[in-house]
Amino acid sequence: TFLKVVNTAKQNKRLPIIRDNYELLAKTYSKQKNYKKALFYNKLFNDLKDSIQNSEIKKNTEELLLKYETEKKEKENLILKQESSEKDLTISNKNNYILFGSLVFLFIIVLLVSYQLKKIKKKNNDLKKSILKRNFQQKTHISTKTTVF
């Protein structure tokens, strides 16, 4: 019956069941003093036990490696996001400085233009006064000439 179970387990690829039945067969043959078969099934049991353990170790190692790689990538992504945020902040600060500098420059230009306009206006006013004064002097001069004759 153990051999039937082993054959069925082999068809279904149930290695732990096969391993356990090899162990039972080895113990059974040992109790029956059939040491040759006991040794044969004991060897099969140990080989399969080692194979299953190696597979589990390999699987666990791969899972740990995958977990490590995933965590490593997540940390790298977090660092990249932080660096990107810092660069964005730096760019934003530079843009703010450029904007502020442009506004100061524009303000200075407006002040200079305003100052120049005031100067021109003052000159115009001075010229108007001068022209008016000259016209007045000419009129008074003409009127004094006509009254003298």
Side-chain angles (χ1 to χ4, degrees):
T1 53
F2 288 126
L3 292 175
K4 287 181 186 178
V5 172
V6 168
N7 287 331
T8 305
K10 280 183 182 179
Q11 290 173 354
N12 296 321
K13 298 181 181 180
R14 308 284 228 148
L15 297 180
I17 293 172
I18 298 169
R19 176 200 59 207
D20 295 342
N21 279 286
Y22 282 160
E23 183 181 28
L24 291 172
L25 282 167
K27 287 180 181 178
T28 302
Y29 283 120
S30 179
K31 285 181 183 176
Q32 293 174 357
K33 300 199 191 296
N34 188 344
Y35 298 114
K36 192 174 184 181
K37 283 190 176 183
L39 183 62
F40 174 75
Y41 284 108
N42 193 48
K43 181 170 177 8
L44 289 176
F45 163 72
N46 284 323
D47 289 347
L48 191 55
K49 179 179 80 169
D50 290 345
S51 175
I52 291 171
Q53 284 177 342
N54 287 339
S55 292
E56 288 175 357
I57 289 171
K58 183 179 177 185
K59 179 183 168 190
N60 290 341
T61 303
E62 288 172 352
E63 286 175 0
L64 287 174
L65 184 60
L66 180 64
K67 185 177 178 183
Y68 168 76
E69 290 295 327
T70 303
E71 288 177 2
K72 184 178 173 184
K73 292 286 182 190
E74 287 173 354
K75 285 180 183 178
E76 287 174 0
N77 286 341
L78 183 62
I79 290 170
L80 288 174
K81 283 180 184 177
Q82 287 174 341
E83 288 174 356
S84 177
S85 294
E86 289 172 6
K87 285 180 182 177
D88 288 346
L89 183 61
T90 301
I91 289 170
S92 176
N93 285 342
K94 284 181 181 178
N95 289 342
N96 288 341
Y97 291 139
I98 290 170
L99 179 64
F100 179 74
S102 299
L103 289 174
V104 168
F105 179 73
L106 186 62
F107 181 71
I108 290 170
I109 295 294
V110 167
L111 284 177
L112 289 173
V113 167
S114 174
Y115 176 72
Q116 290 297 326
L117 285 174
K118 266 189 173 180
K119 275 176 67 175
I120 291 171
K121 208 173 189 182
K122 186 175 183 318
K123 276 187 179 182
N124 279 343
N125 284 339
D126 289 346
L127 280 172
K128 280 182 183 178
K129 284 180 184 178
S130 171
I131 290 171
L132 285 173
K133 188 176 180 183
R134 191 190 235 176
N135 284 344
F136 179 73
Q137 284 176 352
Q138 281 180 351
K139 277 185 179 181
T140 53
H141 185 5
I142 291 175
S143 89
T144 50
K145 266 186 179 182
T146 46
T147 50
V148 171
F149 290 111

